[in-house]
Amino acid sequence: MSSGVVLRTRGIVKEFPGVVALKGVDFELKRAEIHAIVGQNGAGKSTFVKILSGVYTPTRGEIYVGERRARIRNVRDAKRLGITLVHQEATLAPNLSIAENMALAVYGMRGVILGRLRKAELLDLAKRHLERVKLRTDPRTKLGDLGVGERQLVQVARALAENADVICLDEPTSPLTTAEVGVLFEVMEELRKEGRSMIFITHRVEEVFRIADRVTVLRDGIKVFTSPVSETSPSEVVKHMLGRELDEFYPRRKIAEERTPAPPRLRVVSLTTASEGKGVDLRDVSFDLYPGEVLGVVGLLGSGKTELGKALVGMQRVVSGEIYVDGRRVRIESPADALRLGILYIPEDRRQEGLVLQLTVSDNVILPSVYRASALRLFRRTRYERSVAEKWIESLRIVPPRPDFKTSNLSGGNQQKVVLAKSLEAGVRVLVLDEPTFGIDVGAKVEIRRLIAGLADQGYSVVLLTSDVDEALTLSDRILVLVSGRVAGVLDNRGLSRERIIGMLGGRSG
Ligand code: ADP
Ligand code: MG
């Protein structure tokens, strides 16, 4: 075995009654490596790390730790070998404090008793490990009182308290906010520097390219792909996850041969912004956006995409340049100004943005238009509202198709659709979407892309800010390439090649 390999498996098979979850998986983890495992639901990811960490025993196959064949019959065996699992579902005891939970993990039941006897010592230990995962929380806090993000980090701290060499993280980022993911990734990077190895399970391909060194794809219990991250691309990884061609993953919008002559709905001339050190400054950004058109804005991280989106709705200080709506020069100093002009920006972190979760779908859709509806409200409130909500439920395919459904019970993707419905009902005609498919699962991505195509077909104008070149190529009429706050080019998307865009971005696509 090559040196530097801390863990290796050969031919791991796991049979459950009626299901073969793993069908002979060979896998290798190097020292100080973050090895991502991706795959669709049911691919066998959790089963695989549960086997490594002793939660399940394999039906067949071999595990090597270092040079030695290992027998992992239970969680204790795994811990002794330095392997631990940060579970998808939190498995720590919510009624015990953080410190007690750690003591429990490290010393077993003895730990709780020890905890009572040598409280100060254990509190100190817990605090030290909490600091390593950047938590300032009092170790006496009950675990149940923490947020999901903190609980996840406590699990990592627990793994450190066990002095684990191999940490398996099963979809740790799923319940986290963007900021919390950032903290977790920082912690993971520090652990890598210490020489620890991690298996990182996620269904968000973007995260693989942010943090991992290598990636393995599982599909239906079979390892179908392994590669260093630097030698593959998000599209290739997704192709292996789905096991089919990318066309199905990126529904291609049919672009009109010629634009029907109409004045631009939005014209931006030499827009220049000042971020005051909190982002990228835009320089001389100009473009036109026509009715029924999708303008893809492609740029890498730090290219100024978000700043552009915000500048269009008055959330970024504009120092010079002009914006015209339907040929008329306008001043946009706040999102409210923008909304009055029919322009809406939906940020990347838009989960539930602007929704009253306790209300029904129909109440939310009608909310901003209450003005218009109020006269009608007096006598035909319910019928009017229901019909408006039904219209949007149908055209945006909101599931379940029930106007009286409580918004908080909808899935994230469907909540997003309610946000859209509400804005469109209020008269928005220009949608500025910031990474609308980033960080959501594969199925939801396809649906959002179809939705964008459908909106353009209905005459809405879309500014699609994205770091996914294929997404821009399959949905846009034209593509604006943004590099360090400047327009590198606005390209017509008829016959445009992926390579041309990537070349302009100045490197690998993200
Ligand atoms: P993933 O984590 O990739 O979503 P899992 O490893 O959880 O996938 O599941 C792989 C397959 O094994 C699925 O078909 C799942 O239903 C099945 N499975 C997982 N755990 C069990 C179990 N304890 N008993 C029976 N079937 C299971
Ligand atoms: Mg799983």
Side-chain angles (χ1 to χ4, degrees):
M1 193 184 309
S2 71
S3 64
V5 173
V6 287
L7 183 90
R8 193 160 68 93
T9 72
R10 278 195 48 197
I12 295 288
V13 171
K14 179 65 182 175
E15 293 172 357
F16 290 113
V19 194
V20 185
L22 297 171
K23 300 170 184 166
V25 174
D26 297 344
F27 178 85
E28 179 196 86
L29 180 69
K30 291 180 192 157
R31 174 158 306 289
E33 175 181 51
I34 298 179
H35 194 142
I37 299 184
V38 296
Q40 288 191 286
N41 271 339
K45 306 180 297 293
S46 295
T47 303
F48 186 65
V49 287
K50 280 179 179 166
I51 285 173
L52 297 181
S53 57
V55 179
Y56 295 153
T57 49
T59 309
R60 275 193 293 286
E62 295 147 27
I63 303 172
Y64 296 85
V65 175
E67 303 290 326
R68 307 256 297 273
R69 170 92 187 261
R71 291 203 52 184
I72 303 178
R73 288 155 305 190
N74 51 44
V75 175
R76 279 240 302 282
D77 284 350
K79 278 189 187 173
R80 231 187 339 261
L81 292 162
I83 306 168
T84 195
L85 172 63
V86 171
H87 284 262
Q88 194 167 14
E89 321 85 22
T91 51
L92 303 177
N95 290 322
L96 296 182
S97 72
I98 298 175
E100 284 167 333
N101 267 289
M102 281 193 188
L104 189 63
V106 179
Y107 305 106
M109 271 324 282
R110 206 159 52 90
V112 180
I113 300 159
L114 265 175
R116 302 264 141 88
L117 295 175
R118 290 191 278 161
K119 217 165 190 160
E121 201 177 312
L122 282 180
L123 279 179
D124 191 54
L125 179 91
K127 206 160 152 206
R128 272 209 326 273
H129 289 298
L130 287 177
E131 270 164 20
R132 291 173 70 190
V133 298
K134 303 179 197 303
L135 278 180
R136 306 253 171 283
T137 323
D138 185 330
R140 285 168 298 194
T141 315
K142 268 193 193 161
L143 204 74
D145 293 338
L146 300 179
V148 235
E150 290 170 309
R151 250 178 300 176
Q152 202 71 255
L153 288 170
V154 168
Q155 283 208 62
V156 177
R158 186 262 304 154
L160 294 175
E162 291 168 21
N163 199 23
D165 240 359
V166 173
I167 304 174
C168 307
L169 299 129
D170 193 357
E171 296 207 25
T173 58
S174 294
L176 303 188
T177 63
T178 310
E180 287 169 338
V181 171
V183 174
L184 179 67
F185 282 2
E186 272 176 44
V187 170
M188 286 170 66
E189 267 162 10
E190 278 169 26
L191 296 179
R192 171 165 57 190
K193 269 191 218 132
E194 287 176 13
R196 289 177 211 272
S197 311
M198 283 157 275
I199 296 177
F200 169 55
I201 296 179
T202 179
H203 61 256
R204 299 176 186 163
V205 175
E206 301 92 346
E207 292 179 348
V208 171
F209 287 81
R210 254 179 80 188
I211 187 86
D213 304 297
R214 265 201 298 177
V215 56
T216 285
V217 181
L218 287 184
R219 190 170 78 231
D220 295 333
I222 297 169
K223 185 190 85 173
V224 292
F225 181 71
T226 292
S227 167
V229 165
S230 59
E231 290 167 22
T232 182
S233 68
S235 324
E236 188 178 22
V237 168
V238 167
K239 198 168 93 183
H240 287 294
M241 282 169 71
L242 296 177
R244 45 186 154 114
E245 282 310 306
L246 280 176
D247 290 1
E248 288 172 67
F249 182 58
Y250 289 98
R252 185 173 287 277
R253 181 173 147 246
K254 213 168 144 27
I255 302 165
E257 273 305 309
E258 274 170 56
R259 196 159 42 227
T260 36
R265 183 167 279 164
L266 181 71
R267 163 162 282 180
V268 173
V269 183
S270 290
L271 201 68
T272 296
T273 63
S275 62
E276 275 118 21
K278 286 195 292 268
V280 179
D281 295 330
L282 299 172
R283 280 288 180 80
D284 278 326
V285 172
S286 302
F287 64 86
D288 289 340
L289 180 68
Y290 291 88
E293 191 183 49
V294 177
L295 176 74
V297 175
V298 176
L300 303 174
L301 206 72
S303 60
K305 292 191 307 283
T306 293
E307 287 79 0
L308 175 57
K310 289 187 169 170
L312 295 176
V313 297
M315 290 167 71
Q316 189 79 8
R317 200 162 79 80
V318 172
V319 283
S320 64
E322 294 136 39
I323 299 178
Y324 299 83
V325 173
D326 294 326
R328 202 162 51 87
R329 171 109 190 245
V330 295
R331 283 181 72 90
I332 301 176
E333 283 173 348
S334 68
D337 287 351
L339 214 49
R340 266 192 294 278
L341 294 161
I343 306 170
L344 175 77
Y345 168 69
I346 302 188
E348 186 193 316
D349 225 346
R350 77 332 256 178
R351 221 150 280 169
Q352 303 158 2
E353 177 104 356
L355 287 180
V356 185
L357 291 173
Q358 289 77 8
L359 294 182
T360 63
V361 170
S362 117
D363 284 334
N364 267 296
V365 170
I366 211 82
L367 208 56
S369 342
V370 160
Y371 227 21
R372 254 192 295 155
S374 58
L376 288 163
R377 254 173 190 269
L378 291 174
F379 47 103
R380 325 173 47 167
R381 171 179 182 246
T382 354
R383 241 174 89 196
Y384 173 76
E385 290 185 3
R386 276 191 78 91
S387 72
V388 169
E390 272 161 11
K391 177 183 80 186
W392 290 113
I393 284 172
E394 197 193 318
S395 80
L396 303 184
R397 286 193 260 159
I398 295 171
V399 179
R402 284 173 42 196
D404 56 349
F405 201 75
K406 214 167 140 190
T407 320
S408 56
N409 294 333
L410 292 175
S411 71
N414 280 289
Q415 286 178 346
Q416 248 186 84
K417 291 184 191 176
V418 177
V419 176
L420 265 178
K422 176 187 120 172
S423 319
L424 298 176
E425 179 60 26
V428 163
R429 294 174 307 151
V430 175
L431 290 161
V432 183
L433 308 177
D434 197 350
E435 299 281 10
T437 66
F438 190 92
I440 57 178
D441 73 49
V442 171
K445 278 184 202 272
V446 174
E447 225 199 325
I448 296 285
R449 289 179 186 141
R450 289 224 171 88
L451 188 65
I452 293 170
L455 289 169
D457 290 345
Q458 290 171 51
Y460 293 101
S461 304
V462 179
V463 178
L464 171 63
L465 309 164
T466 182
S467 49
D468 185 336
V469 175
D470 294 305
E471 180 169 282
L473 272 170
T474 44
L475 288 175
S476 313
D477 294 83
R478 289 176 301 135
I479 293 180
L480 185 159
V481 182
L482 201 60
V483 178
S484 307
R486 291 168 191 270
V487 178
V490 181
L491 311 166
D492 192 292
N493 191 18
R494 272 162 290 214
L496 185 61
S497 75
R498 195 171 187 276
E499 289 63 38
R500 174 113 188 266
I501 297 178
I502 291 169
M504 287 175 81
L505 288 172
R508 251 161 41 82
S509 80

